[in-house]
Amino acid sequence: MSIYEVIRYCTQSTLSYLNEPKQERKQKRQRRKTERPAFSSRWFGVLPWAVRQLFRKSS
């Protein structure tokens, strides 16, 4: 991928974002927030697994 293609992609995506009505942008943002898993399950879901792996290696 050349630098011109990267610049073109960035320009196109920025312009498409700016051409959307403000209300649509807010709705997209809200949808992404609701689809994302909860903070506790995102971060603490990995922690018990990591501890388990740590104890398995030391045994």
Side-chain angles (χ1 to χ4, degrees):
M1 202 182 220
S2 70
I3 188 71
Y4 297 111
E5 291 174 353
V6 173
I7 292 172
R8 182 176 175 207
Y9 171 75
C10 290
T11 305
Q12 285 177 344
S13 59
T14 304
L15 288 176
S16 68
Y17 176 78
L18 292 175
N19 286 334
E20 285 182 353
K22 189 174 184 178
Q23 192 63 25
E24 278 185 40
R25 286 184 273 174
K26 282 186 177 183
Q27 287 174 353
K28 277 186 183 179
R29 206 172 310 125
Q30 285 298 324
R31 260 187 266 128
R32 275 188 299 212
K33 278 186 178 180
T34 57
E35 291 173 0
R36 187 172 31 178
F39 175 78
S40 60
S41 65
R42 270 191 306 183
W43 291 99
F44 298 121
V46 174
L47 212 61
W49 176 81
V51 171
R52 212 174 324 142
Q53 292 296 322
L54 179 68
F55 283 117
R56 279 188 187 170
K57 287 184 180 181
S58 64
S59 296

Short mmCIF file of all heavy atoms in Angstrom, two decimals:
data_model
loop_
_atom_site.label_atom_id
_atom_site.label_comp_id
_atom_site.label_asym_id
_atom_site.label_seq_id
_atom_site.Cartn_x
_atom_site.Cartn_y
_atom_site.Cartn_z
N MET A 1 0.84 -1.17 0.00
CA MET A 1 0.00 0.00 0.00
C MET A 1 0.90 1.24 0.00
O MET A 1 1.75 1.40 0.87
CB MET A 1 -0.88 -0.03 1.24
CG MET A 1 -2.11 0.77 1.14
SD MET A 1 -2.99 0.66 2.70
CE MET A 1 -4.62 0.53 2.16
N SER A 2 0.69 2.08 -0.96
CA SER A 2 1.52 3.28 -1.04
C SER A 2 0.96 4.37 -0.12
O SER A 2 -0.17 4.30 0.36
CB SER A 2 1.55 3.80 -2.47
OG SER A 2 0.30 4.32 -2.83
N ILE A 3 1.75 5.37 0.09
CA ILE A 3 1.35 6.47 0.98
C ILE A 3 0.16 7.22 0.41
O ILE A 3 -0.69 7.70 1.14
CB ILE A 3 2.55 7.40 1.26
CG1 ILE A 3 2.21 8.43 2.34
CG2 ILE A 3 2.97 8.12 0.00
CD1 ILE A 3 2.09 7.84 3.70
N TYR A 4 0.05 7.26 -0.91
CA TYR A 4 -1.07 7.96 -1.54
C TYR A 4 -2.38 7.24 -1.27
O TYR A 4 -3.41 7.87 -1.05
CB TYR A 4 -0.83 8.09 -3.05
CG TYR A 4 0.38 8.93 -3.36
CD1 TYR A 4 1.52 8.37 -3.91
CD2 TYR A 4 0.40 10.30 -3.08
CE1 TYR A 4 2.64 9.14 -4.18
CE2 TYR A 4 1.51 11.08 -3.34
CZ TYR A 4 2.63 10.49 -3.89
OH TYR A 4 3.74 11.25 -4.14
N GLU A 5 -2.33 5.93 -1.27
CA GLU A 5 -3.54 5.17 -0.96
C GLU A 5 -3.97 5.35 0.48
O GLU A 5 -5.16 5.43 0.78
CB GLU A 5 -3.32 3.69 -1.26
CG GLU A 5 -3.18 3.39 -2.73
CD GLU A 5 -2.80 1.94 -2.98
OE1 GLU A 5 -2.53 1.21 -2.01
OE2 GLU A 5 -2.78 1.54 -4.15
N VAL A 6 -3.00 5.44 1.37
CA VAL A 6 -3.30 5.66 2.78
C VAL A 6 -3.93 7.03 2.98
O VAL A 6 -4.93 7.18 3.67
CB VAL A 6 -2.02 5.52 3.64
CG1 VAL A 6 -2.29 5.92 5.07
CG2 VAL A 6 -1.48 4.11 3.56
N ILE A 7 -3.34 8.03 2.35
CA ILE A 7 -3.89 9.39 2.46
C ILE A 7 -5.29 9.44 1.86
O ILE A 7 -6.20 10.06 2.43
CB ILE A 7 -2.95 10.41 1.77
CG1 ILE A 7 -1.65 10.52 2.56
CG2 ILE A 7 -3.62 11.77 1.64
CD1 ILE A 7 -0.58 11.32 1.89
N ARG A 8 -5.48 8.78 0.74
CA ARG A 8 -6.79 8.76 0.09
C ARG A 8 -7.83 8.10 0.99
O ARG A 8 -8.94 8.60 1.15
CB ARG A 8 -6.69 8.02 -1.23
CG ARG A 8 -7.97 7.99 -2.00
CD ARG A 8 -7.77 7.34 -3.33
NE ARG A 8 -9.02 7.21 -4.02
CZ ARG A 8 -9.29 6.29 -4.91
NH1 ARG A 8 -8.36 5.42 -5.25
NH2 ARG A 8 -10.45 6.23 -5.48
N TYR A 9 -7.47 6.97 1.60
CA TYR A 9 -8.39 6.27 2.49
C TYR A 9 -8.75 7.15 3.69
O TYR A 9 -9.92 7.26 4.06
CB TYR A 9 -7.77 4.96 2.97
CG TYR A 9 -8.58 4.31 4.05
CD1 TYR A 9 -9.77 3.65 3.75
CD2 TYR A 9 -8.17 4.35 5.37
CE1 TYR A 9 -10.52 3.06 4.74
CE2 TYR A 9 -8.91 3.77 6.36
CZ TYR A 9 -10.09 3.12 6.04
OH TYR A 9 -10.84 2.55 7.04
N CYS A 10 -7.76 7.78 4.31
CA CYS A 10 -8.01 8.64 5.46
C CYS A 10 -8.90 9.82 5.09
O CYS A 10 -9.83 10.16 5.82
CB CYS A 10 -6.70 9.16 6.04
SG CYS A 10 -5.73 7.90 6.85
N THR A 11 -8.65 10.40 3.93
CA THR A 11 -9.46 11.52 3.47
C THR A 11 -10.89 11.09 3.22
O THR A 11 -11.84 11.76 3.65
CB THR A 11 -8.86 12.12 2.19
OG1 THR A 11 -7.50 12.46 2.43
CG2 THR A 11 -9.62 13.35 1.76
N GLN A 12 -11.07 9.96 2.56
CA GLN A 12 -12.42 9.47 2.28
C GLN A 12 -13.18 9.15 3.55
O GLN A 12 -14.36 9.50 3.68
CB GLN A 12 -12.36 8.24 1.38
CG GLN A 12 -12.04 8.53 -0.04
CD GLN A 12 -11.92 7.26 -0.87
OE1 GLN A 12 -11.79 6.18 -0.34
NE2 GLN A 12 -11.96 7.43 -2.19
N SER A 13 -12.54 8.48 4.47
CA SER A 13 -13.24 8.12 5.70
C SER A 13 -13.58 9.36 6.53
O SER A 13 -14.66 9.44 7.13
CB SER A 13 -12.43 7.12 6.52
OG SER A 13 -11.19 7.65 6.84
N THR A 14 -12.69 10.33 6.56
CA THR A 14 -12.96 11.56 7.29
C THR A 14 -14.11 12.33 6.66
O THR A 14 -15.02 12.80 7.36
CB THR A 14 -11.70 12.46 7.33
OG1 THR A 14 -10.64 11.72 7.90
CG2 THR A 14 -11.96 13.72 8.12
N LEU A 15 -14.11 12.44 5.35
CA LEU A 15 -15.19 13.17 4.67
C LEU A 15 -16.53 12.46 4.81
O LEU A 15 -17.56 13.11 4.98
CB LEU A 15 -14.84 13.37 3.20
CG LEU A 15 -13.75 14.39 2.93
CD1 LEU A 15 -13.42 14.44 1.44
CD2 LEU A 15 -14.15 15.75 3.44
N SER A 16 -16.52 11.14 4.75
CA SER A 16 -17.80 10.42 4.92
C SER A 16 -18.33 10.62 6.34
O SER A 16 -19.54 10.74 6.55
CB SER A 16 -17.63 8.95 4.60
OG SER A 16 -16.82 8.32 5.56
N TYR A 17 -17.43 10.67 7.32
CA TYR A 17 -17.84 10.92 8.70
C TYR A 17 -18.41 12.32 8.84
O TYR A 17 -19.44 12.53 9.47
CB TYR A 17 -16.66 10.74 9.64
CG TYR A 17 -16.95 11.08 11.07
CD1 TYR A 17 -17.64 10.18 11.88
CD2 TYR A 17 -16.56 12.29 11.61
CE1 TYR A 17 -17.92 10.49 13.20
CE2 TYR A 17 -16.83 12.60 12.93
CZ TYR A 17 -17.51 11.70 13.71
OH TYR A 17 -17.80 12.01 15.02
N LEU A 18 -17.76 13.29 8.25
CA LEU A 18 -18.21 14.68 8.37
C LEU A 18 -19.50 14.94 7.60
O LEU A 18 -20.25 15.85 7.95
CB LEU A 18 -17.11 15.63 7.91
CG LEU A 18 -15.88 15.69 8.80
CD1 LEU A 18 -14.82 16.56 8.17
CD2 LEU A 18 -16.23 16.18 10.19
N ASN A 19 -19.76 14.17 6.55
CA ASN A 19 -20.96 14.37 5.75
C ASN A 19 -22.20 13.75 6.39
O ASN A 19 -23.32 14.05 5.98
CB ASN A 19 -20.78 13.80 4.35
CG ASN A 19 -19.89 14.69 3.50
OD1 ASN A 19 -19.80 15.89 3.74
ND2 ASN A 19 -19.22 14.09 2.54
N GLU A 20 -22.02 12.91 7.41
CA GLU A 20 -23.16 12.32 8.10
C GLU A 20 -23.79 13.38 8.99
O GLU A 20 -23.10 14.21 9.58
CB GLU A 20 -22.72 11.17 8.98
CG GLU A 20 -22.39 9.92 8.24
CD GLU A 20 -22.00 8.80 9.20
OE1 GLU A 20 -21.87 9.04 10.41
OE2 GLU A 20 -21.82 7.70 8.70
N PRO A 21 -25.10 13.32 9.14
CA PRO A 21 -25.74 14.24 10.08
C PRO A 21 -25.29 13.95 11.52
O PRO A 21 -24.95 12.81 11.86
CB PRO A 21 -27.23 13.93 9.92
CG PRO A 21 -27.36 13.27 8.61
CD PRO A 21 -26.07 12.57 8.37
N LYS A 22 -25.31 14.96 12.33
CA LYS A 22 -24.83 14.83 13.70
C LYS A 22 -25.64 13.79 14.48
O LYS A 22 -25.08 13.03 15.28
CB LYS A 22 -24.92 16.18 14.40
CG LYS A 22 -24.27 16.23 15.74
CD LYS A 22 -24.28 17.63 16.30
CE LYS A 22 -23.54 17.68 17.61
NZ LYS A 22 -23.49 19.04 18.15
N GLN A 23 -26.93 13.74 14.23
CA GLN A 23 -27.79 12.79 14.93
C GLN A 23 -27.39 11.34 14.62
O GLN A 23 -27.37 10.49 15.51
CB GLN A 23 -29.25 13.03 14.55
CG GLN A 23 -30.23 12.31 15.43
CD GLN A 23 -30.16 12.80 16.87
OE1 GLN A 23 -29.76 13.92 17.16
NE2 GLN A 23 -30.52 11.92 17.77
N GLU A 24 -27.05 11.05 13.38
CA GLU A 24 -26.63 9.70 13.00
C GLU A 24 -25.32 9.32 13.68
O GLU A 24 -25.14 8.19 14.11
CB GLU A 24 -26.46 9.59 11.49
CG GLU A 24 -27.72 9.37 10.73
CD GLU A 24 -27.46 9.15 9.26
OE1 GLU A 24 -26.48 8.46 8.92
OE2 GLU A 24 -28.23 9.69 8.46
N ARG A 25 -24.41 10.26 13.77
CA ARG A 25 -23.14 9.99 14.45
C ARG A 25 -23.37 9.66 15.91
O ARG A 25 -22.75 8.74 16.46
CB ARG A 25 -22.20 11.19 14.32
CG ARG A 25 -21.60 11.34 12.94
CD ARG A 25 -20.63 12.46 12.90
NE ARG A 25 -21.38 13.68 12.60
CZ ARG A 25 -20.90 14.91 12.60
NH1 ARG A 25 -19.66 15.12 12.91
NH2 ARG A 25 -21.64 15.93 12.29
N LYS A 26 -24.26 10.39 16.56
CA LYS A 26 -24.57 10.12 17.97
C LYS A 26 -25.20 8.74 18.13
O LYS A 26 -24.87 8.01 19.06
CB LYS A 26 -25.51 11.18 18.53
CG LYS A 26 -24.85 12.48 18.87
CD LYS A 26 -25.81 13.41 19.56
CE LYS A 26 -25.13 14.68 19.96
NZ LYS A 26 -26.03 15.58 20.71
N GLN A 27 -26.09 8.38 17.21
CA GLN A 27 -26.74 7.08 17.29
C GLN A 27 -25.73 5.95 17.10
O GLN A 27 -25.76 4.94 17.81
CB GLN A 27 -27.83 6.96 16.24
CG GLN A 27 -29.06 7.77 16.55
CD GLN A 27 -30.07 7.75 15.42
OE1 GLN A 27 -29.79 7.22 14.36
NE2 GLN A 27 -31.24 8.33 15.67
N LYS A 28 -24.80 6.11 16.16
CA LYS A 28 -23.75 5.10 15.96
C LYS A 28 -22.91 4.93 17.21
O LYS A 28 -22.58 3.82 17.62
CB LYS A 28 -22.84 5.49 14.80
CG LYS A 28 -23.35 5.12 13.45
CD LYS A 28 -22.29 5.42 12.42
CE LYS A 28 -22.76 5.15 11.03
NZ LYS A 28 -21.74 5.47 10.02
N ARG A 29 -22.54 6.04 17.82
CA ARG A 29 -21.72 6.02 19.02
C ARG A 29 -22.46 5.29 20.15
O ARG A 29 -21.88 4.47 20.87
CB ARG A 29 -21.38 7.44 19.44
CG ARG A 29 -20.12 7.56 20.22
CD ARG A 29 -19.69 9.00 20.46
NE ARG A 29 -19.67 9.82 19.27
CZ ARG A 29 -20.32 10.98 19.13
NH1 ARG A 29 -21.03 11.47 20.12
NH2 ARG A 29 -20.25 11.67 18.01
N GLN A 30 -23.76 5.59 20.31
CA GLN A 30 -24.55 4.93 21.34
C GLN A 30 -24.66 3.43 21.08
O GLN A 30 -24.57 2.62 22.00
CB GLN A 30 -25.95 5.55 21.41
CG GLN A 30 -25.99 6.90 22.07
CD GLN A 30 -25.53 6.84 23.51
OE1 GLN A 30 -25.78 5.89 24.24
NE2 GLN A 30 -24.82 7.87 23.94
N ARG A 31 -24.84 3.03 19.81
CA ARG A 31 -24.93 1.61 19.47
C ARG A 31 -23.64 0.88 19.82
O ARG A 31 -23.65 -0.22 20.35
CB ARG A 31 -25.24 1.43 17.98
CG ARG A 31 -26.70 1.14 17.73
CD ARG A 31 -26.93 0.78 16.29
NE ARG A 31 -27.33 2.02 15.61
CZ ARG A 31 -26.78 2.50 14.51
NH1 ARG A 31 -25.83 1.85 13.90
NH2 ARG A 31 -27.18 3.63 14.00
N ARG A 32 -22.51 1.51 19.51
CA ARG A 32 -21.22 0.88 19.82
C ARG A 32 -21.04 0.72 21.33
O ARG A 32 -20.51 -0.28 21.80
CB ARG A 32 -20.07 1.70 19.26
CG ARG A 32 -19.77 1.37 17.82
CD ARG A 32 -18.53 2.08 17.41
NE ARG A 32 -18.78 3.52 17.55
CZ ARG A 32 -18.26 4.47 16.79
NH1 ARG A 32 -17.41 4.15 15.87
NH2 ARG A 32 -18.56 5.73 16.97
N LYS A 33 -21.50 1.71 22.10
CA LYS A 33 -21.38 1.63 23.56
C LYS A 33 -22.23 0.49 24.11
O LYS A 33 -21.81 -0.22 25.02
CB LYS A 33 -21.80 2.94 24.21
CG LYS A 33 -20.73 3.99 24.23
CD LYS A 33 -21.20 5.19 25.03
CE LYS A 33 -20.13 6.24 25.10
NZ LYS A 33 -20.58 7.40 25.89
N THR A 34 -23.43 0.32 23.60
CA THR A 34 -24.31 -0.72 24.13
C THR A 34 -23.87 -2.10 23.69
O THR A 34 -24.09 -3.08 24.41
CB THR A 34 -25.77 -0.49 23.68
OG1 THR A 34 -25.83 -0.44 22.27
CG2 THR A 34 -26.33 0.79 24.26
N GLU A 35 -23.23 -2.24 22.54
CA GLU A 35 -22.78 -3.54 22.06
C GLU A 35 -21.51 -4.01 22.76
O GLU A 35 -21.22 -5.19 22.79
CB GLU A 35 -22.54 -3.50 20.55
CG GLU A 35 -23.79 -3.36 19.75
CD GLU A 35 -23.52 -3.15 18.27
OE1 GLU A 35 -22.33 -3.11 17.88
OE2 GLU A 35 -24.49 -3.01 17.53
N ARG A 36 -20.77 -3.10 23.33
CA ARG A 36 -19.52 -3.43 24.00
C ARG A 36 -19.83 -4.15 25.31
O ARG A 36 -20.73 -3.77 26.05
CB ARG A 36 -18.76 -2.14 24.27
CG ARG A 36 -17.39 -2.34 24.81
CD ARG A 36 -16.60 -1.09 24.88
NE ARG A 36 -17.39 0.11 25.12
CZ ARG A 36 -16.89 1.31 25.24
NH1 ARG A 36 -15.61 1.48 25.14
NH2 ARG A 36 -17.66 2.34 25.45
N PRO A 37 -19.06 -5.20 25.64
CA PRO A 37 -19.29 -5.88 26.92
C PRO A 37 -18.97 -4.97 28.10
O PRO A 37 -18.23 -3.99 27.97
CB PRO A 37 -18.35 -7.07 26.88
CG PRO A 37 -17.44 -6.86 25.76
CD PRO A 37 -18.03 -5.83 24.86
N ALA A 38 -19.48 -5.33 29.25
CA ALA A 38 -19.27 -4.52 30.45
C ALA A 38 -17.79 -4.48 30.82
O ALA A 38 -17.02 -5.39 30.49
CB ALA A 38 -20.07 -5.09 31.60
N PHE A 39 -17.41 -3.44 31.52
CA PHE A 39 -16.01 -3.26 31.91
C PHE A 39 -15.51 -4.43 32.75
O PHE A 39 -14.42 -4.94 32.54
CB PHE A 39 -15.86 -1.95 32.71
CG PHE A 39 -14.49 -1.73 33.26
CD1 PHE A 39 -13.48 -1.26 32.43
CD2 PHE A 39 -14.20 -2.00 34.58
CE1 PHE A 39 -12.21 -1.06 32.93
CE2 PHE A 39 -12.92 -1.80 35.07
CZ PHE A 39 -11.93 -1.33 34.24
N SER A 40 -16.33 -4.87 33.69
CA SER A 40 -15.89 -5.95 34.59
C SER A 40 -15.64 -7.24 33.83
O SER A 40 -14.68 -7.95 34.09
CB SER A 40 -16.92 -6.17 35.68
OG SER A 40 -18.16 -6.52 35.11
N SER A 41 -16.48 -7.56 32.87
CA SER A 41 -16.28 -8.80 32.13
C SER A 41 -15.13 -8.67 31.13
O SER A 41 -14.46 -9.66 30.83
CB SER A 41 -17.55 -9.21 31.40
OG SER A 41 -17.88 -8.28 30.41
N ARG A 42 -14.89 -7.47 30.64
CA ARG A 42 -13.77 -7.28 29.71
C ARG A 42 -12.44 -7.46 30.41
O ARG A 42 -11.54 -8.12 29.92
CB ARG A 42 -13.81 -5.88 29.10
CG ARG A 42 -14.60 -5.79 27.84
CD ARG A 42 -14.36 -4.47 27.20
NE ARG A 42 -14.64 -3.40 28.18
CZ ARG A 42 -14.57 -2.14 27.92
NH1 ARG A 42 -14.23 -1.73 26.75
NH2 ARG A 42 -14.83 -1.24 28.83
N TRP A 43 -12.28 -6.84 31.58
CA TRP A 43 -10.98 -6.85 32.25
C TRP A 43 -10.84 -7.97 33.26
O TRP A 43 -9.83 -8.64 33.32
CB TRP A 43 -10.74 -5.50 32.91
CG TRP A 43 -10.54 -4.46 31.88
CD1 TRP A 43 -11.47 -3.57 31.44
CD2 TRP A 43 -9.37 -4.23 31.10
NE1 TRP A 43 -10.95 -2.79 30.44
CE2 TRP A 43 -9.66 -3.17 30.22
CE3 TRP A 43 -8.12 -4.80 31.07
CZ2 TRP A 43 -8.72 -2.69 29.31
CZ3 TRP A 43 -7.19 -4.32 30.17
CH2 TRP A 43 -7.51 -3.27 29.31
N PHE A 44 -11.84 -8.17 34.10
CA PHE A 44 -11.71 -9.18 35.14
C PHE A 44 -11.96 -10.58 34.60
O PHE A 44 -11.65 -11.56 35.26
CB PHE A 44 -12.65 -8.87 36.31
CG PHE A 44 -12.31 -7.56 36.97
CD1 PHE A 44 -13.25 -6.55 37.03
CD2 PHE A 44 -11.05 -7.33 37.49
CE1 PHE A 44 -12.94 -5.34 37.62
CE2 PHE A 44 -10.73 -6.13 38.08
CZ PHE A 44 -11.68 -5.14 38.15
N GLY A 45 -12.47 -10.70 33.40
CA GLY A 45 -12.63 -12.00 32.78
C GLY A 45 -11.28 -12.59 32.40
O GLY A 45 -11.10 -13.80 32.38
N VAL A 46 -10.31 -11.77 32.14
CA VAL A 46 -8.98 -12.21 31.76
C VAL A 46 -8.13 -12.49 33.01
O VAL A 46 -7.27 -13.37 32.99
CB VAL A 46 -8.30 -11.15 30.87
CG1 VAL A 46 -6.87 -11.50 30.59
CG2 VAL A 46 -9.08 -10.96 29.60
N LEU A 47 -8.38 -11.78 34.07
CA LEU A 47 -7.57 -11.91 35.27
C LEU A 47 -7.60 -13.31 35.88
O LEU A 47 -6.52 -13.87 36.15
CB LEU A 47 -8.04 -10.87 36.29
CG LEU A 47 -6.98 -10.30 37.20
CD1 LEU A 47 -5.91 -9.60 36.40
CD2 LEU A 47 -7.60 -9.35 38.17
N PRO A 48 -8.74 -13.93 36.10
CA PRO A 48 -8.72 -15.29 36.65
C PRO A 48 -7.99 -16.28 35.74
O PRO A 48 -7.29 -17.17 36.22
CB PRO A 48 -10.20 -15.65 36.77
CG PRO A 48 -10.90 -14.36 36.82
CD PRO A 48 -10.09 -13.41 36.01
N TRP A 49 -8.15 -16.12 34.46
CA TRP A 49 -7.45 -17.00 33.51
C TRP A 49 -5.94 -16.84 33.65
O TRP A 49 -5.20 -17.81 33.67
CB TRP A 49 -7.89 -16.69 32.08
CG TRP A 49 -7.15 -17.47 31.07
CD1 TRP A 49 -7.39 -18.75 30.67
CD2 TRP A 49 -6.01 -17.03 30.33
NE1 TRP A 49 -6.48 -19.13 29.72
CE2 TRP A 49 -5.61 -18.10 29.49
CE3 TRP A 49 -5.28 -15.86 30.27
CZ2 TRP A 49 -4.53 -18.00 28.63
CZ3 TRP A 49 -4.21 -15.78 29.42
CH2 TRP A 49 -3.84 -16.83 28.62
N ALA A 50 -5.47 -15.61 33.78
CA ALA A 50 -4.04 -15.36 33.91
C ALA A 50 -3.48 -15.95 35.19
O ALA A 50 -2.40 -16.54 35.21
CB ALA A 50 -3.77 -13.86 33.86
N VAL A 51 -4.24 -15.82 36.28
CA VAL A 51 -3.80 -16.39 37.56
C VAL A 51 -3.74 -17.90 37.46
O VAL A 51 -2.78 -18.53 37.94
CB VAL A 51 -4.73 -15.93 38.70
CG1 VAL A 51 -4.43 -16.67 39.99
CG2 VAL A 51 -4.61 -14.43 38.90
N ARG A 52 -4.74 -18.49 36.84
CA ARG A 52 -4.76 -19.94 36.65
C ARG A 52 -3.54 -20.41 35.85
O ARG A 52 -2.90 -21.41 36.19
CB ARG A 52 -6.05 -20.34 35.93
CG ARG A 52 -6.56 -21.68 36.34
CD ARG A 52 -7.91 -21.98 35.72
NE ARG A 52 -8.76 -20.79 35.63
CZ ARG A 52 -9.58 -20.51 34.62
NH1 ARG A 52 -9.69 -21.34 33.62
NH2 ARG A 52 -10.31 -19.43 34.61
N GLN A 53 -3.21 -19.70 34.80
CA GLN A 53 -2.06 -20.06 33.99
C GLN A 53 -0.77 -19.93 34.78
O GLN A 53 0.15 -20.74 34.64
CB GLN A 53 -1.99 -19.18 32.73
CG GLN A 53 -3.09 -19.42 31.75
CD GLN A 53 -3.04 -20.82 31.19
OE1 GLN A 53 -1.99 -21.37 30.94
NE2 GLN A 53 -4.21 -21.41 31.00
N LEU A 54 -0.68 -18.92 35.63
CA LEU A 54 0.50 -18.70 36.44
C LEU A 54 0.72 -19.88 37.39
O LEU A 54 1.82 -20.39 37.53
CB LEU A 54 0.37 -17.40 37.23
CG LEU A 54 1.53 -17.04 38.14
CD1 LEU A 54 2.76 -16.70 37.29
CD2 LEU A 54 1.15 -15.87 39.01
N PHE A 55 -0.37 -20.32 38.05
CA PHE A 55 -0.25 -21.43 38.99
C PHE A 55 0.00 -22.75 38.27
O PHE A 55 0.65 -23.62 38.81
CB PHE A 55 -1.50 -21.53 39.86
CG PHE A 55 -1.52 -20.51 40.96
CD1 PHE A 55 -2.51 -19.54 40.99
CD2 PHE A 55 -0.52 -20.48 41.91
CE1 PHE A 55 -2.53 -18.60 41.99
CE2 PHE A 55 -0.53 -19.54 42.93
CZ PHE A 55 -1.54 -18.58 42.97
N ARG A 56 -0.49 -22.92 37.08
CA ARG A 56 -0.24 -24.15 36.33
C ARG A 56 1.24 -24.27 35.97
O ARG A 56 1.81 -25.35 36.02
CB ARG A 56 -1.06 -24.19 35.04
CG ARG A 56 -2.47 -24.61 35.26
CD ARG A 56 -3.15 -24.80 33.93
NE ARG A 56 -4.56 -25.06 34.12
CZ ARG A 56 -5.44 -25.07 33.16
NH1 ARG A 56 -5.06 -24.82 31.93
NH2 ARG A 56 -6.71 -25.32 33.41
N LYS A 57 1.85 -23.16 35.61
CA LYS A 57 3.27 -23.20 35.23
C LYS A 57 4.16 -23.44 36.44
O LYS A 57 5.19 -24.09 36.33
CB LYS A 57 3.67 -21.89 34.56
CG LYS A 57 3.12 -21.77 33.16
CD LYS A 57 3.63 -20.52 32.51
CE LYS A 57 3.07 -20.42 31.09
NZ LYS A 57 3.56 -19.23 30.42
N SER A 58 3.79 -22.93 37.60
CA SER A 58 4.63 -23.09 38.78
C SER A 58 4.47 -24.47 39.41
O SER A 58 5.33 -24.89 40.18
CB SER A 58 4.31 -22.01 39.80
OG SER A 58 2.99 -22.16 40.27
N SER A 59 3.42 -25.19 39.10
CA SER A 59 3.20 -26.53 39.69
C SER A 59 4.02 -27.58 39.01
O SER A 59 4.38 -27.60 37.93
CB SER A 59 1.74 -26.92 39.57
OG SER A 59 0.96 -26.05 40.31
#
